[in-house]
Structure formats: C-alpha cells, structure tokens
Amino acid sequence: MFQLHPLTADDLPALVDLWYDAFSIPINLRLFPDTAGVRAWLAAYHRASLERPDQHYLKITADSASSPPLVAMVKWDFNTTAPGHRFPVWHADSDRPFCDDFFGSMDEARRTIMGPRPHYYLDTLLTHPDYQRQGAASRLIRWGCDRADHDGRPIWVDASPEGAALYQRFGFRDVSVPGITPEGAISMLRDPVVMHS
C-alpha cells in the first residue's frame, strides 16, 4: 500500500499542504501562521534544504487514487557537529520573538546534552491525519534509526507531547532540560544499537 521515495522539489507544494494538515495546533500556528507569505517562506526554506547533501528528505505515498500526494514525509539532518536550527529570517507574519525563543531554547537543550558529540537530528516528521497509526511515520523513523545504528550515531528529536510515545517505541528517551526545553516540546535522545556482524 505505502511506497517510500526521495522527496523532490516537485513535492514542495504538497509538503506545505501536509505541514498544515498535520501541524494545525495552536503552538505551530503561532510559529508558522497559515498565510500565503508563510507558506511561500516554508517552501523556500525546504527548497534550499533539499539542495544540501546532508539533508535527507523522504516521502510516503499511497497507491489509492483518493490518497493525498503525500501520506507522510521526514527530514533528517545528518550535519549536526554544531547543533542548531538553520532557519532563514522569519517571515513578517510569524511571531518573530516567539520563534527565536522557542527554537533557541530547543537548540540550547540539545547543546546542553550533546555538546560536540556527533549525532543525527530528526528535524521534521509529518503524517496526514487520515493516515496516522498506519505505519507510515514508523517507516520513516526506522529508515533513520537504521542509518544511525549503521553509523554508530545517536539521534535527537524535539518531539511534541503527542508524538513522544511513538518515538519511545524506537528507543528514544526523554532528556528534557528543566528550565531550558520549551513548553510544548520534549527533548528526546536515542543511542545507537550496536550492530553485530
């Protein structure tokens, strides 16, 4: 039923649509209001990221003609020697001080726990509401976990409270830093599983 493929620039309009289908919660809409300007900003941000070889975008599609163009997508960041989000200047429609504080706090928590330790970062994971709990997101998480285990790298994710249970099933644990990890996020870490030959 589900197909796994690399995500391409042609998928960006569908990615932005999926972003708002999956992330229409108050905190996300404060960070990224659903306006034409922010939608264009998101598309431009992901277009630039797609061109970087250390950013890995994957998509899940479904065979059904009634399925949305993207059932799920993930962005994996494998360049984390200096952990931190690399967003362009926030769009004017966003709450810029709130964005700086929220993402800055997440990055500070990651630096506090990881320091210079190399790791992979699960940057974005989106699943269409009609396809949640059907295995699409798990397939995208498993892809990164397999790569991390092969490479001996831990994985960091800034999870929503709703998503934390899914990550726990893959071995992630809550390492939130009191007073630093922002409200609405959970800092989570997964150590690599040693591969035996």
Side-chain angles (χ1 to χ4, degrees), residues 6-7 45-58 74-80 86 120-121 143 147 151:
L7 188 143
Y45 162 66
H46 287 291
R47 184 180 303 277
S49 293
L50 269 169
E51 295 173 357
R52 293 178 44 187
D54 51 19
Q55 308 297 297
H56 300 273
Y57 282 79
L58 301 168
V74 71
K75 176 188 176 187
W76 284 95
D77 180 356
F78 285 4
N79 178 21
T80 56
R86 293 176 287 272
Y120 293 159
Y121 179 55
W143 182 93
R147 287 285 300 269
D151 298 340

Side-chain angles (χ1 to χ4, degrees), residues 11 13-15 17-18 21 59-62 66-72 128:
D11 297 310
L15 185 162
D17 287 342
L18 179 61
D21 288 338
K59 66 180 178 181
I60 297 283
T61 60
S66 62
S67 301
L70 297 181
V71 167
H128 192 281

Side-chain angles (χ1 to χ4, degrees), residues 14-192:
L15 185 162
V16 173
D17 287 342
L18 179 61
W19 182 284
Y20 287 103
D21 288 338
F23 271 0
S24 291
I25 55 177
I27 193 169
N28 194 65
L29 291 174
R30 185 175 177 190
L31 294 163
F32 305 102
D34 190 359
T35 67
V38 176
R39 282 177 171 259
W41 182 96
L42 279 167
Y45 162 66
H46 287 291
R47 184 180 303 277
S49 293
L50 269 169
E51 295 173 357
R52 293 178 44 187
D54 51 19
Q55 308 297 297
H56 300 273
Y57 282 79
L58 301 168
K59 66 180 178 181
I60 297 283
T61 60
D63 297 332
S64 170
S66 62
S67 301
L70 297 181
V71 167
M73 65 77 59
V74 71
K75 176 188 176 187
W76 284 95
D77 180 356
F78 285 4
N79 178 21
T80 56
T81 52
H85 288 86
R86 293 176 287 272
F87 289 119
V89 174
W90 303 111
H91 191 273
D93 291 343
S94 291
D95 183 337
R96 292 178 175 180
F98 181 67
C99 290
D100 286 339
D101 184 61
F102 185 80
F103 287 106
S105 296
M106 287 200 303
D107 292 342
E108 184 180 351
R110 182 154 49 128
R111 287 191 297 270
T112 298
I113 298 293
M114 300 306 294
R117 183 182 177 196
H119 62 283
Y120 293 159
Y121 179 55
L122 201 170
D123 183 286
T124 305
L125 178 66
L126 305 172
T127 306
H128 192 281
D130 293 345
Y131 289 85
Q132 292 177 354
R133 296 177 178 81
Q134 296 182 35
S138 292
R139 192 165 173 189
L140 296 172
I141 297 171
R142 172 54 57 200
W143 182 93
C145 289
D146 288 346
R147 287 285 300 269
D149 290 344
H150 179 271
D151 298 340
R153 293 282 191 263
I155 302 172
W156 186 274
V157 65
D158 296 301
S160 67
E162 298 79 15
L166 173 61
Y167 294 117
Q168 287 172 345
R169 293 205 297 270
F170 286 87
F172 288 84
R173 66 186 189 280
D174 186 342
V175 293
S176 297
V177 182
I180 298 179
T181 299
E183 185 177 347
I186 299 175
S187 304
M188 303 192 79
L189 178 65
R190 177 189 184 271
D191 291 314

